[in-house]
């Protein structure tokens, strides 16, 4: 599996306040993705009858499995980002710990990289779902025209 290295230029190392804001933005985006996953799940449920037809069954099954896996991955990623946000408090306290900022920034980079990778997978799945639903809608429309 090839990992895409997209948007890495947007993962920057900032001061602690900017790191906190960056983390809050990531949490907000991930929560929105969770809502989008729920919507996609409902969309698939709405077109279940059409999705289990012979032509689209295998692809539908793969997409449904991938959707469930992405939802699990999102839950773990949200937990990681929340934990990362909470660890920022130790960085902001007045205790001086050697290499504390560098360690936090390394962790920040890893969490942001995982978030970017998740977004890439999510976009790909979303395009596949919309493409499949579009194909089904076209087939249904042509059936109605023939009747």
């Amino acid at each position: 599996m090839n990992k895409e290295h997209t948007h890495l230029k947007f993962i920057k190392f900032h001061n602690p306040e900017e790191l906190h804001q960056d983390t809050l933005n990531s949490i907000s985006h991930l929560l929105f993705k969770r809502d989008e996953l729920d919507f996609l799940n409902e969309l698939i449920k709405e077109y279940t009858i059409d999705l289990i037809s012979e032509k689209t069954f295998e692809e539908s099954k793969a997409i449904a499995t991938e959707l469930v896996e992405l939802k699990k991955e999102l839950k773990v990623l949200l937990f990681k980002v929340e934990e990362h946000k909470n660890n920022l408090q130790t960085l902001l306290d007045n205790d001086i710990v050697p290499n504390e900022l560098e360690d936090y920034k390394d962790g920040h980079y890893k969490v942001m990289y995982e978030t970017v990778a998740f977004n890439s997978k999510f976009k790909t799945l979303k395009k596949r779902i919309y493409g499949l639903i579009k194909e089904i809608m076209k087939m249904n429309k042509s059936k109605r025209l023939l009747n």
Side-chain angles (χ1 to χ4, degrees), residues 16-67:
E17 291 80 19
E18 290 172 328
L19 290 172
H20 179 69
Q21 189 59 44
D22 203 18
T23 305
L24 289 177
N25 288 340
S26 292
I27 290 171
S28 176
H29 285 107
L30 290 174
L31 290 173
F32 183 74
K33 296 287 188 235
R34 184 177 64 188
D35 292 342
E36 274 191 294
L37 281 171
D38 290 340
F39 169 75
L40 292 173
N41 198 21
E42 288 298 317
L43 188 64
I44 286 176
K45 284 180 185 176
E46 185 176 322
Y47 286 93
T48 299
I49 302 290
D50 297 317
L51 288 171
I52 58 175
S53 72
E54 291 178 27
K55 291 181 179 179
T56 59
F57 178 72
E58 289 301 320
E59 187 176 357
S60 301
K61 185 177 173 184
I63 285 175
T65 303
E66 207 173 319
L67 192 61

